[in-house]
Amino acid sequence: MTTESQRFTVLLVPEYIEHTDATSAQDAAVRSAAVEATGETGETGYPRYAGEGIVADIDPRTRTVEAVLVDGSELDYGLNAIVSP
């Protein structure tokens, strides 16, 4: 039996927003996607999640996005992918 989450919400937020108290990540997100476990392991060794054009390797214990593709491309500079709190 697995205790890993099968679903996360991934937010794409500008770098300058992260770690500030002025704006929440949800409010600052330029895009969000509900991703579900694919049953595969990504290149990083973490479980792969996919949905709504986003494919991400996520560490389910720390909720850290280890790798991400957005619409088949790498994430643009200046953006970070985070798991919604």
Side-chain angles (χ1 to χ4, degrees):
M1 182 174 135
T2 181
T3 60
E4 294 177 353
S5 180
Q6 297 298 303
R7 180 176 296 156
F8 289 109
T9 299
V10 174
L11 304 174
L12 303 182
V13 297
E15 278 183 345
Y16 63 87
I17 296 298
E18 203 170 23
H19 306 299
T20 66
D21 295 330
T23 306
S24 74
Q26 288 89 351
D27 291 340
V30 296
R31 183 168 173 180
S32 67
V35 295
E36 295 189 17
T38 64
E40 300 173 352
T41 300
E43 296 292 321
T44 62
Y46 291 100
R48 179 157 289 165
Y49 295 79
E52 301 180 39
I54 293 181
V55 177
D57 296 358
I58 300 174
D59 179 343
R61 283 181 280 143
T62 64
R63 299 170 57 94
T64 301
V65 177
E66 299 291 342
V68 64
L69 292 176
V70 178
D71 298 329
S73 299
E74 292 181 8
L75 193 60
D76 289 337
Y77 287 109
L79 291 176
N80 287 329
I82 61 172
V83 172
S84 178

